[in-house]
Amino acid sequence: MPLNRAVQRFLNCKLNVNALVAPKSLLTTRPSPQSRLYTSTSTADLQFGQPVHETHPHLLRPGELTPGITALEYAQRRSTLASKLPKDAVAVLAAADVKYRSGPVFYEFHQEPNFFYLTGFNEPEAVAVIEKTANDNDHTFHLFVRPKDPKAEQWEGSRSGMQAAMDVFNADEPGDINDVERHLARIIADASEVHTDLQLKPTATSVFARFFPNTSPKLDAMARLLENATVRPLQPTLNIVRNIKSNAEIANMRRAGQASGRAFTEAMRQGWASEKDLASFLEYGFKRHGCDGSAYVPVVAGGRNASQIHYVRNDDVLSESSLVLADAGGEYGNYITDITRTWPISGAFSGPEKDLYNALLTTQRTCISLCRASASNSLDKLHEIAEKSLQDSLSQLGFNMSGNASSRTPIQKPPDHIN
């Protein structure tokens, strides 16, 4: 769908929540926004698989599909991606699966990032297809989702359903995920190229395995559909699309950063007896200041535990005489922060600790000052600058910096890359 059509739909539909209760017979044909039938059902009676403004005005402003991001911006993203695809090519993306820790006990669901970036749809068992047509940058947006099912929803929570896929998420062609194989067969057969990053090798955990009957033991269903297609990776094109952030994205990142920073500041002002207590306080602080939760499993490491890059046990006691390292951050609307700070449990650095802290602080400030477009620095270049700055600072403190990472010197090159 080109941008002018996306804008018109956005203005005409405005989420069209009343259309979501259309009779089932109406779903056999796709009406235009102007011809859709409406009922007088109250918005409060409607149920979706995720918050929308009409049901959660305390979370979403009018026009927003997810926190800070409007339905129009999602349409613009799809249009931008389509403009970079070859004529008659398609992009295929799948939602994340629900992960289980034991039997029916599931982990908290987290959507596949690229799928979420293009759709704003936050449910499992869904497939998005962006089908570019021969007319300039025109495209058709297909969204295959789980149909409404009152019995299943009583156990698993609400689903948005096919009508919402069209009226809320602006799909040109909504579909039942259980019929995705039949529809994809036609779309792929007509495509000049298929751009996708889906797992194509046979695997029992393929994201498509549940939706394709009679799966071949040698090739999973999606691989069979692509046997005769020209397949290209989608990620390189999406990297270009996602490289420059919109004003709304920057605002979301700032909000996540500010909330996370406040949580860290509050944590530093208190004394802690265990890594577990500090980790719990940080997660609580992220949520209290407006984040959805933690962006990743945090590292809260006291004393020598901090020498492990990804120490995530967080189960040791904290000594009053030691330092604690916390690597954590909050997430807001799928935009995350990643903050690492080290401070003394006692509240005051010793002389040597202060020297090392200032050496790292000098390096950090140097790198931050170079994080601007006019400096034309890559991450690799910034990593080199960080290494050189650390080596110079540590040499001034009397450390022997000769040799390399495999030498017997006590100070080695940073094992992790700057990010």
Side-chain angles (χ1 to χ4, degrees), residues 173-367:
E173 298 290 345
D176 186 334
I177 189 63
N178 298 294
D179 297 329
V180 67
E181 181 182 14
R182 175 168 57 86
H183 292 289
L184 270 183
R186 189 271 305 167
I187 294 171
I188 290 174
D190 294 340
S192 61
E193 294 180 359
V194 179
H195 292 240
T196 186
D197 297 314
L198 297 175
Q199 175 67 47
L200 302 182
K201 295 181 180 179
T203 169
T205 59
S206 169
V207 72
F208 282 87
R210 294 186 307 280
F211 313 131
F212 294 91
N214 304 319
T215 302
S216 165
K218 295 183 179 179
L219 296 173
D220 71 9
M222 187 62 185
R224 287 189 285 108
L225 289 178
L226 295 174
E227 279 182 313
N228 299 315
T230 300
V231 181
R232 309 286 188 205
L234 179 60
Q235 192 63 59
T237 306
L238 271 173
N239 286 344
I240 296 172
V241 173
R242 301 188 65 171
N243 189 39
I244 298 178
K245 305 303 181 186
S246 70
N247 289 336
E249 289 182 286
I250 293 172
N252 274 5
M253 294 164 73
R254 280 204 177 105
R255 179 164 181 174
Q258 290 169 349
S260 300
R262 291 190 186 104
F264 264 84
T265 300
E266 291 170 353
M268 290 178 184
R269 290 172 174 162
Q270 301 188 40
W272 300 101
S274 73
E275 295 168 345
K276 180 180 179 180
D277 289 347
L278 175 52
S280 299
F281 182 85
L282 284 171
E283 180 167 16
Y284 165 71
F286 298 152
K287 291 182 178 180
R288 188 168 70 87
H289 289 296
C291 287
D292 303 320
S294 290
Y296 51 90
V297 179
V299 174
V300 178
R304 64 185 300 173
N305 293 336
S307 64
Q308 302 175 32
I309 304 303
H310 289 137
Y311 170 88
V312 294
R313 283 170 38 190
N314 305 336
D315 60 0
D316 211 342
V317 295
L318 294 173
S319 169
E320 184 75 11
S321 61
S322 69
L323 301 174
V324 62
L325 178 146
D327 178 353
E331 177 178 359
Y332 177 73
N334 274 33
Y335 291 87
I336 71 171
T337 49
D338 184 340
I339 300 174
T340 302
R341 292 292 183 270
T342 302
W343 68 91
I345 295 297
S346 66
F349 285 112
S350 67
E353 289 171 348
K354 186 174 182 180
D355 288 339
L356 284 173
Y357 185 89
N358 284 330
L360 289 167
L361 183 60
T362 298
T363 298
Q364 181 194 50
R365 287 174 172 170
T366 298
C367 290

Side-chain angles (χ1 to χ4, degrees), residues 24 40 48 72 86 101 109 120 141 145 160 165 168 189 205 211-212 217 220 289 292 317 324 354 360 369 392 409 411:
K24 185 175 182 181
S40 58
F48 303 89
L72 179 57
R101 59 186 302 155
F109 178 73
F141 172 38
V145 303
S160 293
V168 177
T205 59
F211 313 131
F212 294 91
D220 71 9
H289 289 296
D292 303 320
V317 295
V324 62
K354 186 174 182 180
L360 289 167
S369 70
D392 291 345
T409 55
I411 302 299

